[in-house]
Amino acid sequence: MSRPIIEVRGLSKRYRLGAIGATSLREEFARWRDRLRGVNHADKQDFWALRDVSFDVLPGEVVGVVGRNGAGKSTLLKILSRITEPTSGTARLRGRVASLLEVGTGFHPELTGRENVFLNGAILGMTQAEVRRKFDEIVAFAEIDQFIDTPVKRYSSGMYVRLAFAVAAHLEPEVLIVDEVLAVGDVEFQQKCLGKMQSVASHEGRTVLFVSHNLGAVHTLCSRGIFLKKGACVTLGPVDQVLEAYLRDGHDPQAAAVFSPTEPALRINRVNCRLEQGRPQLEVDLTLRSAAARRLALEFLLLTASGQPVGLAAAGTYHPQECVDIVAGDQDSTWSVDLDRLANGSYQLVVQLVDPMVQVVARHEVPQLIEVCRAPLGDRKRALELSWHAGALELTCRRR
């Protein structure tokens, strides 16, 4: 087994709220004197951005880091990039590291795009000849050849990101660290970047650490994942397992069941996926509540565990005459959804009341994942599995 290229052991980072680092020798001496005297500044509170985080990353792995805002993802990447030091613990990286953490990181605003490419190459320990061999590829990937000799302070945020990612990906670092900064770019360039990261990992054997709130991109790109919550590592393992834990953690079934006193609302009482003559059926018992009688569409949205939409079953969305008549007060009903062509695997269910073509009136995300396990269609030997990454809907074909 190969030696890990990233080794993190007991990593912790503490900040003191309301305090900044000493800006002069006098301030540093005053703090040292207070520590000797045991003076406690009660107005300063400790905040642990990371707490005892440990993991290994092997060469060639693509690891996704997920978590809510403030979970410690960016702090972790800054420590790995040697921008800030940990309070305790160790982080060991073997090889050159290229980081793309925020717009403009590592660029000098007064230098041109061309000069910044060579500057970043020098920081990574590359010679001018090595950078020159990669220069045309970098400019072509960034698609900013017209502006390459313009000072980067005049670049838009999108142009910054294009050049920064192109530099980081093409200057052959052993470890590529990418934060959510790619969200600044347009959709086409985001797809281009994801494809490049997949290429450098699978074909060039480089390691990628990727932070994103785009769970679909994390699921597609990464083989392993890390779920951070309040600075601690909650789940570490296969990306499907990590995303499932993250999605489960994001649901609050008690909060989702609260009724509004004025607006129509819904509550899910029971969700059951069962087989009926070998065909999976989703049964949903729900309660609708409204202060006054209304006609609304009822929608059942299915998503993969990574949040990618799969399908929509609806009453009233396509044909207004099929809308549900909601009476004043509480109204219990049971609905069924056919799942006979879905791939076997785990799915999210979202139920919502919709004023067609106007707005979503009420929405409920079912906290537990739905497990679909069905028999093969017709005389087939196997049923489609989500783990094949070939889609969620099994189609049929025939020769004509």
Side-chain angles (χ1 to χ4, degrees), residues 11 25 38 52 59 67 79 194 199 212 223 271 273 277 288 291 298 340 347 365 372 391 393:
L11 204 63
L25 183 60
D52 196 27
I79 292 175
L194 293 175
S199 174
S212 179
S223 57
V271 176
C273 187
Q277 297 180 348
L288 303 178
L298 181 63
D340 58 314
Y347 296 88
E365 297 181 8
V372 174
L393 184 64

Side-chain angles (χ1 to χ4, degrees), residues 30-327:
R31 293 185 182 188
W32 174 76
R33 182 189 58 197
D34 288 344
R35 284 197 298 269
L36 288 180
R37 294 178 176 178
V39 176
N40 181 29
H41 296 279
D43 59 327
K44 306 296 190 297
Q45 296 180 353
D46 288 344
F47 171 74
W48 290 90
L50 287 176
R51 201 71 181 261
D52 196 27
V53 174
S54 300
F55 62 89
D56 290 337
V57 180
L58 297 175
E61 279 193 318
V62 183
V63 178
V65 184
V66 297
R68 296 183 180 182
N69 291 331
K73 304 185 299 297
S74 295
T75 302
L76 173 62
L77 297 196
K78 286 179 179 179
I79 292 175
L80 295 179
S81 302
R82 297 183 175 88
I83 293 174
T84 187
E85 293 182 352
T87 303
S88 62
T90 60
R92 176 174 295 178
L93 290 86
R94 298 180 172 93
R96 295 183 297 200
V97 179
S99 302
L100 187 58
L101 302 183
E102 55 188 56
V103 176
T105 299
F107 278 23
H108 193 295
E110 297 296 334
L111 300 181
T112 66
R114 183 187 302 273
E115 291 165 340
N116 271 292
V117 170
F118 282 91
L119 173 63
N120 275 264
I123 292 173
L124 284 173
M126 301 178 69
T127 65
Q128 285 196 16
E130 289 176 314
V131 177
R132 199 172 290 114
R133 281 198 300 270
K134 292 286 185 178
F135 185 80
D136 290 340
E137 291 181 46
I138 292 171
V139 175
F141 187 92
E143 300 175 1
I144 59 165
D145 51 322
Q146 186 179 354
F147 310 100
I148 195 62
D149 291 311
T150 301
V152 297
K153 67 180 181 181
R154 297 193 174 95
Y155 283 13
S156 67
S157 58
M159 292 167 65
Y160 251 123
V161 170
R162 283 175 175 270
L163 184 58
F165 182 86
V167 168
H170 286 82
L171 290 187
E172 300 182 349
E174 280 75 27
V175 179
L176 178 60
I177 297 176
V178 183
D179 205 342
E180 186 62 29
V181 67
L182 288 183
V184 176
D186 56 66
V187 174
E188 182 182 353
F189 187 71
Q190 288 181 33
Q191 294 299 323
K192 192 175 180 180
C193 292
L194 293 175
K196 181 63 178 176
M197 283 191 283
Q198 204 161 26
S199 174
V200 299
S202 58
H203 301 306
E204 302 174 31
R206 295 188 231 162
T207 301
V208 180
L209 210 57
F210 180 50
V211 168
S212 179
H213 291 290
N214 183 343
L215 300 188
V218 173
H219 186 265
T220 301
L221 184 66
C222 305
S223 57
R224 294 177 62 232
I226 300 169
F227 171 28
L228 293 179
K229 181 180 180 181
K230 296 181 179 179
C233 181
V234 177
T235 308
L236 171 65
V239 68
D240 289 332
Q241 176 185 329
V242 169
L243 292 180
E244 181 176 336
Y246 175 51
L247 290 169
R248 287 183 186 277
D249 182 78
H251 293 294
D252 184 352
Q254 297 302 320
V258 175
F259 282 131
S260 166
T262 56
E263 290 294 325
L266 61 90
R267 180 177 64 207
I268 307 298
N269 300 318
R270 184 182 65 90
V271 176
N272 180 42
C273 187
R274 63 183 179 84
L275 289 176
E276 185 174 301
Q277 297 180 348
R279 301 173 63 185
Q281 293 275 330
L282 183 63
E283 286 190 348
V284 182
D285 292 342
L286 52 85
T287 300
L288 303 178
R289 172 176 291 183
S290 180
R294 290 187 66 175
R295 281 178 59 82
L296 296 171
L298 181 63
E299 297 183 344
F300 301 87
L301 288 78
L302 278 175
L303 304 93
T304 63
S306 61
Q308 293 296 307
V310 172
L312 170 69
T317 300
Y318 310 118
H319 304 289
Q321 62 269 26
E322 296 177 357
C323 283
V324 180
D325 291 312
I326 302 176
V327 299

